Amino acid sequence: MTGRLKHIVKEDKKYFFLFSLLLLIIFILGIISPVLVEKKRQNWESELKAITTTIDGSVQSKISDMESEILRLKSEVKSEVGKVLSQNKVPNGNLFDLLNKQNYAGNSIEIYDNSREMIAWTPETAPSGSRLLQLDYQPGEIHFCRTGLQTYLCVIDTLNISGGGDYFLSVSIPVEKYYKLQNNYFRNVSLSEELSQKFMTSFEIEYSPSAEFTKDGRKHSTEVKSNYGNRIAVITFSKPSRDTNLANLKEIFIDFQSVLAIISIICLALGLRKNLKKIRQRTLRFAAVFLFFAVLRALLFLLDIPSRFIEGPLTDASNFASAFGFGIVKSPLEFSVTIIIALLVCLYLFENVYKYVKTNNRKSPNNIIKILAVLFGAAFYLIELRGVGASLKSIIFDSSLRYFKEPGLLPNLASGLMQLNFLVLGLSSVMVSVSVILFIFSLVAKERKSLKSEFFTVFAIFQILGIIYDLTQSEPQGTPLIRIIYITLTFIAAYKIQFEERRNLFNYIYFTLISSIITISLLNYYNTQLEKESLKTTAFELTRTNDDWLEYLIREALFNASTSPETIRALKSQQTDYESAAFLIWSQSTLQREEISSSITFLDRQKAFLGSFGINIDPKYRISPEVLDYQGEELQIFNNYRPAALQGKIVSGIVPVKEDNVLLGYVAATVLFDPERVRVENLPGFLQSKQNKYNTAVNFDKLKVFVFTDNLLTNVYGDIIPADWHIENIIHADLSETNDTWINLNINKENYITYILRESENNSSKIIAVSLKEKNLSWSLYNFFKVFFIHSIFIISLLAFIFLFQLKGKNKEFRYTFRTQLLAAFLLIALLPMIFLAFYNRTLTEEKNRDTILFKLKQNASDIENYLKEHLLGNPSLSLRLLATDANRDLNIEFALYNDKELFYSSKEEFYSAGIIPPILNPFVYDRLKHQGFKEYVTEEKIENYPFISFASKIELGGKEYILKVNDIFNKIPLPVTSEEVDIFLFGSYFFATILVIIFSTVLANRISSPIRSLTKATASVASGDFGFEVNNNQKGEIRDLISGFNLMIKELKRSQAELAEMERETAWKEMARQVAHEIKNPLTPMKLAVQQLIIAYKDKSPKLDMIFDKVSQTIISQIETLNNIASEFSAFARMPKIVVEHMELNSVVEDACNLFIEENIRIETERDSERYLIEADKDQLKRTIINLIRNSMQAGADTVKINIYKKGSKINLEVNDNGRGILQEHQGRVFEENFTTKEKGMGLGLKLAKKFMESIKGNISVAETSPRGTKILLEFPYK
Amino acid sequence: MKKFFINVKIRLFILLNVLLIALNAMLFAQFQQQKVQLKEQKPALEIPKSIFGKIEEGIAVRDLDKFSKFFGAQTYLSIPNRNPGYYSSDQVFYILQDYFRIFKPVSFRFLIISEKSDNPYASGYYKFESKGIRGTAQVYISLKQAGGNWKISQITIN
């Protein structure tokens, strides 16, 4: 065991070292953090001094930056304005153009002439005309100035133009907004909040030269001085709390430790990675991976990562929260983390099942196992599908995001992430489902020939089991149609994988596409359920608002108002902008958030009216008689005021506002409770909370509401009055124990789904029936494309990623292949017109919508103008203000009249008097109408960040020129189709088409270029000397002829090569024979002469016989030696080419050899780890050996060859496994013998040469396994 | 051959166990999700005053489990910086958990508890501390009967 552990640790030392190091750091941090915290606690006094000094310094630095910025801005504007005024002595449009440059946006800049008349300004104005007269500050001195709602950092300066007179320039930067709006349009500006958040302590700023330092010892004040050294404000902050600081320090340590813990577990995983690969059992390996990811997720959850570090919409539970798994999906971000981990597990499962199935050469199990596999697999498959359905139901019901109702083409961050989440959820599900199908199929399939029929049988069984499964469920998830489609699509994907010979990363695109279709369909289905459920919610909503609730709202608003410094300031200063002060109270109360018809009113000590702000309450009802009569000293609520002219009743309250027990005045709050008006109608968009638009599943306008009190119909909301039998049906409906029920009503031949709720209130019975036309449940293509558009962006991104990944994997450079050219051409031809059409349609709709708005606004302006003129013509002495009020009432058009640039009248005057909309005419409108001679002008404006369109025209009334202005913020103009709807439909459907075009283009480009690619590969193979194959020819036309010609050419080449080789051999033999003869002749002649000399000497009985004998013998021996040498040389000449041994990487040689078979009917899979195995061998001979082995496999009927490379002891093993016929038992011992072959045209040399080669490099080759289902040849190389 | 069959059996056994673990994990996770719903089914015998007491205690000590069983299937929630509207019980739980994590309760008590109507309610002041800054918010919570049980129908914090 210890040895095994040592082995493990040795393999990946660096990761284990890091793991240990991180654990040690975590441990050390755990020890030192309490020490540091304690030390800080003990030295808190000195720490506090240092912190206070630091904050003081930082605040001064911040103020200094702001002052520098405004001075820079003033200098720039002054210089530019000076140039313009020098060139044009009379102010004109150039001045407006200059001030309204984009880089001045958000600031308030005004130019005054020497009579203090404003001659140019920016859209956001902080009018300072009155301050010019007060001369509180010297020209050029920075100071703070305040309007009713905001405080600005201001500077006023003089501008002398030689020969052009004196001008004043005022530049203001907003620093503090006192109101808050709870919606996305609100632009918050608050220096005090910014400082509070930055320094984590409470800041109060008194923007006044007379502001005083705090006397509270728990606080610290710092002075803000102007550029002239005068006090202009005092900033006071609470000295940071010791406990908060210590808690923050602890939090920092915990954050750090959490991150280290996660990194350490990843290091551990990396360290064990190689060992994972050594687990031979796939299932065990999968179990280990599953366990690791489960532990990782649990750890992330326990440490609250990533939510600990990220705040905002991604971690907002209102966007999605489910209690599933203790809360591992408690927010969109946590859901992402969980689902990504799930995806990795599913991906690993799929890859392993894929490999398992593709290398499956086991014997088919018995029938019981098969039946069990199908049943168990189908059960798992269907439970898993049910899980996906349940998850999507939760995504709809546990979320406030309305995926099909969001405005705009692109979703917000949270919605976008959730859409990615459920796409990934579906993708994981599809991968698991396909894995289950492939696995079951691998167990069920007998042999390859019967695969397809068995596949369809399994498919049919799954479909039948799906129906049975749904029948057994009390509440099936999704619809039968979606289930059938899901099973069909996953089987198609599995079929493609099972029967397509080549592995394809693009399978994941198909999976993602299936996921998108299924998840959006399920989402759409559950959305209709939610819409139905919203009838219930509406009934609850109608009963939610009661006296208690309204009284609470008033009490809350009044209590906050009575303690607010702003209220005290307003009443003390006797200022005139009480409307602003009333708006401040209203905006900070729940009244704004709830969009309730309500008002806030300021009264003086004698209860005389000072000013008010209200929404949808006529000013005459804003103060009830009880409020005026009230003489008490405490906050008081009244709820019995029912004016005869009003449908509902008024609930109101009053609170005296005191300072140091001295009564300053009163604040009154009023709420109109009108059961018939469920919501405030025509609330300007910039005041709406997001509730209306997003948080309701169905548009309220589509609902019909019938309210019964004691069985009598008392209120109807909507355009349908129920008939008697409808009323009977509602009143006598059978209610459940929760006092509610669902019924269907047939109204005007349309089916209405109706929810009925019975409530008891004040001893009377109340029935609320909420109906929705069944057809209005939005199951539509629009919904599908709304989400599919986003999914298609993800899918196309995935496609691009796969493309780049493949590109990198091949040659690391872009290859401009024939296929690529074809694909590019197809895409270009198909997509260009689509993109062009999409943008054209969008532009067209936008223009039409704008034209519709302008037409309607123009018509409104014209109606108002005609009304005013007609009435003035009959009676010129009529008050124009009163006439304008009548026009607003009679025509129901909201408008404003300007006398020059000043507001003269507005039907929404309180928005101007409260300071929400500037009472100065928009500078662009003024410039165009006054300076540039336009008669009418259209402009886009903004309140906060809410955009709207204004139409302005010059009109003459009673001999005086006015500017009439109407906008679409107060005059709602319905559009038949909004730009967003067009965007969604166009881009959604076009993106869907784009994905289809990409898929079809890829298929077509592959198909057309396939023979060319085959020929290219074939040519490469021929070039490398491999003639042993034929290009498949199932083409038509010229391509067929080309391939036939090529194959014929290969055959001819092969034959010619054989003939040539034969000829060469013959020639070589002849030449050799001639050479041999020639070489042999040379020594034979001296031998012959010597023997003849010896014979003569012998016959002559020569006395020198002995000597001659010796000499002749020497000669003969010498020539025999020569003959021997000649024989050796010839022998050496005939030997095999010399082996060139070199260092090489085994993997690359195997890859080169395998590449030659890419276009052939053989699947070659290589399985190896990431290590580079270096061996010493002859590269060409090794490659030839591998090619030889693969060819042998093919000739043995194999369609799959799997090559495994791994290290075993001191050797590198290379296994060549095939699924061919195998080697007969009687042949097994002879396969490496010379001249042994079972092939018709074989020479019996291939394996012999392979063996000889392997032996020459001190390796070995052997038949490791063989059976009728395949053979394993093992090549062993010495490890270098 | 025998060895081969043993291998198949072992593999199937391991796979079966992995699948069972996965299924169990799914079921257990779903069970956790259903806990709130199961609690809902339990008859609530408590009177509104007692429920408000639990809510008061739960908010004061930042333990939502003390009253999460009273969340309705759809509860109206209106708190700062979030859209007011109806939320599922799971959402309400985590939204409030987040809210109380950011605005840590210093003290909380109901000043008014009304049981007079069919919609009992309570309102009070919630003192909190958030990133070193202290503040006060007003809380309104109302109940409603559903199937013989009292459920929280509305929570407003401002």
Side-chain angles (χ1 to χ4, degrees), chain A residues 737-792:
Chain A
E737 60 170 11
T738 51
N739 274 334
D740 62 352
T741 192
W742 292 90
I743 63 165
N744 285 318
L745 288 178
N746 193 302
I747 304 172
N748 298 335
K749 295 181 182 173
E750 293 278 2
N751 188 35
Y752 280 76
I753 301 162
T754 305
Y755 175 76
I756 298 171
L757 175 71
R758 184 187 284 272
E759 291 255 312
S760 299
E761 195 178 276
N762 301 330
N763 299 323
S764 66
S765 152
K766 195 172 180 183
I767 295 174
I768 293 160
V770 187
S771 296
L772 176 68
K773 202 190 283 184
E774 198 172 17
K775 278 184 189 169
N776 282 338
L777 290 173
S778 58
W779 176 273
S780 65
L781 264 183
Y782 171 86
N783 281 359
F784 180 84
F785 287 128
K786 170 91 177 134
V787 178
F788 185 79
F789 170 70
I790 307 304
H791 279 189
S792 62

Side-chain angles (χ1 to χ4, degrees), chain A residues 635-662:
Chain A
L635 190 156
Q636 187 66 37
I637 310 282
F638 308 96
N639 65 4
N640 288 318
Y641 181 40
R642 289 179 182 272
L646 283 181
Q647 178 76 23
K649 70 171 180 178
I650 296 281
V651 181
S652 56
I654 185 166
V655 68
V657 181
K658 294 177 181 174
E659 191 183 45
D660 300 332
N661 243 358
V662 176

Side-chain angles (χ1 to χ4, degrees), chain A residues 1114-1256:
Chain A
Q1114 287 293 327
T1115 305
I1116 289 170
I1117 287 166
S1118 160
Q1119 292 309 313
I1120 287 171
E1121 189 60 32
T1122 306
L1123 278 171
N1124 190 36
N1125 284 342
I1126 291 167
S1128 294
E1129 275 175 28
F1130 274 102
S1131 174
F1133 179 71
R1135 258 205 316 260
M1136 286 288 294
K1138 200 171 181 183
I1139 288 174
V1140 182
V1141 175
E1142 58 183 319
H1143 273 288
M1144 72 184 74
E1145 196 196 340
L1146 181 57
N1147 295 339
S1148 68
V1149 180
V1150 171
E1151 203 170 306
D1152 285 349
C1154 293
N1155 281 342
L1156 294 172
F1157 293 88
I1158 282 175
E1159 295 301 324
E1160 298 202 32
N1161 285 332
I1162 185 96
R1163 170 190 293 280
I1164 303 172
E1165 292 173 7
T1166 49
E1167 191 172 288
R1168 54 186 160 84
D1169 48 35
S1170 56
E1171 200 162 310
R1172 296 168 73 243
Y1173 291 117
L1174 291 173
I1175 58 166
E1176 280 186 351
D1178 182 298
K1179 198 172 181 176
D1180 291 335
Q1181 294 222 37
L1182 176 58
K1183 192 172 161 186
R1184 204 173 296 134
T1185 302
I1186 294 164
I1187 293 171
N1188 221 333
L1189 291 173
I1190 296 171
R1191 283 254 172 265
N1192 283 350
S1193 294
M1194 287 172 74
Q1195 284 156 357
D1199 63 357
T1200 304
V1201 169
K1202 189 178 164 191
I1203 298 175
N1204 290 346
I1205 304 169
Y1206 57 93
K1207 183 169 174 281
K1208 190 176 181 185
S1210 61
K1211 290 183 176 171
I1212 308 295
N1213 286 2
L1214 186 151
E1215 286 176 9
V1216 181
N1217 301 275
D1218 68 34
N1219 59 351
R1221 286 186 294 273
I1223 305 166
L1224 292 174
Q1225 202 175 356
E1226 59 266 32
H1227 295 157
Q1228 283 175 21
R1230 301 181 57 201
V1231 289
F1232 295 109
E1233 284 179 12
E1234 196 169 347
N1235 300 327
F1236 175 78
T1237 180
T1238 57
K1239 290 175 264 179
E1240 222 173 89
K1241 293 179 183 174
M1243 298 285 288
L1245 281 175
L1247 286 176
K1248 169 70 189 165
L1249 288 174
K1251 190 169 177 65
K1252 196 172 170 187
F1253 159 67
M1254 288 303 290
E1255 283 169 356
S1256 71

Side-chain angles (χ1 to χ4, degrees), chain A residues 351-584:
Chain A
E351 284 291 318
N352 275 278
V353 169
Y354 176 84
K355 284 176 186 169
Y356 173 79
V357 169
K358 286 294 168 186
T359 55
N360 181 20
N361 52 11
R362 288 159 295 280
K363 212 171 185 180
S364 178
N366 63 37
N367 286 339
I368 296 170
I369 292 184
K370 281 182 186 178
I371 293 167
L372 281 175
V374 171
L375 290 177
F376 189 80
F380 183 77
Y381 178 100
L382 293 168
I383 289 172
E384 184 253 336
L385 177 58
R386 186 179 164 79
V388 174
S391 306
L392 280 154
K393 186 177 181 183
S394 174
I395 286 169
I396 282 287
F397 279 83
D398 290 326
S399 169
S400 304
L401 298 170
R402 299 287 166 254
Y403 302 100
F404 304 121
K405 285 187 76 184
E406 279 185 338
L409 189 60
L410 293 173
N412 61 41
L413 197 59
S415 179
L417 187 70
M418 282 303 290
Q419 294 184 37
L420 177 63
N421 285 347
F422 61 75
L423 181 69
V424 174
L425 171 76
L427 177 62
S428 308
S429 164
V430 170
M431 283 199 286
V432 172
S433 297
V434 171
S435 303
V436 169
I437 296 168
L438 289 174
F439 181 71
I440 289 173
F441 188 62
S442 74
L443 292 179
V444 169
K446 279 182 195 162
E447 50 187 88
R448 295 188 70 80
K449 281 178 189 169
S450 60
L451 282 180
K452 288 187 182 172
S453 62
E454 283 169 354
F455 193 86
F456 287 113
T457 310
V458 174
F459 169 69
I461 291 171
F462 266 60
Q463 290 286 18
I464 293 164
L465 288 174
I467 296 166
I468 296 168
Y469 182 74
D470 268 12
L471 290 174
T472 60
Q473 301 294 307
S474 59
E475 204 182 322
Q477 298 289 357
T479 65
L481 181 66
I482 295 175
R483 190 198 61 241
I484 289 167
I485 293 172
Y486 182 82
I487 296 175
T488 308
L489 291 177
T490 47
F491 266 82
I492 290 172
Y495 180 91
K496 191 173 161 4
I497 292 162
Q498 180 67 40
F499 297 105
E500 179 163 310
E501 292 304 323
R502 274 196 293 155
R503 192 171 170 197
N504 199 338
L505 270 177
F506 287 93
N507 282 336
Y508 293 111
I509 296 294
Y510 300 134
F511 292 168
T512 317
L513 203 57
I514 296 171
S515 159
S516 179
I517 292 167
I518 295 299
T519 52
I520 298 174
S521 303
L522 280 168
L523 204 71
N524 214 342
Y525 167 72
Y526 288 117
N527 194 56
T528 56
Q529 301 280 308
L530 183 75
E531 286 179 349
K532 205 176 150 192
E533 197 69 18
S534 72
L535 304 189
K536 215 174 183 176
T537 316
T538 306
F540 290 156
E541 177 66 12
L542 288 168
T543 56
R544 182 175 66 87
T545 307
N546 54 31
D547 284 357
D548 296 336
W549 163 236
L550 296 176
E551 283 178 21
Y552 163 75
L553 291 181
I554 289 177
R555 188 176 293 112
E556 184 227 86
L558 291 180
F559 177 81
N560 288 341
S562 67
T563 53
S564 161
E566 285 299 312
T567 312
I568 293 166
R569 190 191 69 86
L571 284 167
K572 264 173 77 178
S573 68
Q574 299 293 309
Q575 60 170 27
T576 51
D577 54 350
Y578 289 103
E579 286 81 5
S580 300
F583 174 70
L584 290 184

Side-chain angles (χ1 to χ4, degrees), chain A residues 200 281 316 318 322-323 325 327 362 398 400 537 541 543-544 549 556 560 593-594 690-691 695 759-760, chain B residues 4 11 15 29 33 76 78 80 82-88 90-91 94 118 131 138 144 154 157-158:
Chain A
M200 294 175 72
Q281 290 279 356
D316 186 346
S318 61
S322 166
R362 288 159 295 280
D398 290 326
S400 304
T537 316
E541 177 66 12
T543 56
R544 182 175 66 87
W549 163 236
E556 184 227 86
N560 288 341
R593 205 161 66 195
E594 295 289 326
K690 288 199 290 181
Q691 186 182 27
N695 206 24
E759 291 255 312
S760 299
Chain B
F4 166 74
R11 282 173 193 172
L15 190 72
Q33 188 181 16
Y76 188 86
S78 176
R82 276 198 175 80
N83 304 330
Y86 286 89
Y87 293 94
S88 70
D90 285 1
Q91 282 179 289
Y94 287 111
D118 295 322
K131 293 179 182 172
Q138 294 187 55
K144 194 173 192 171
Q154 171 166 333
I157 305 175
N158 190 36

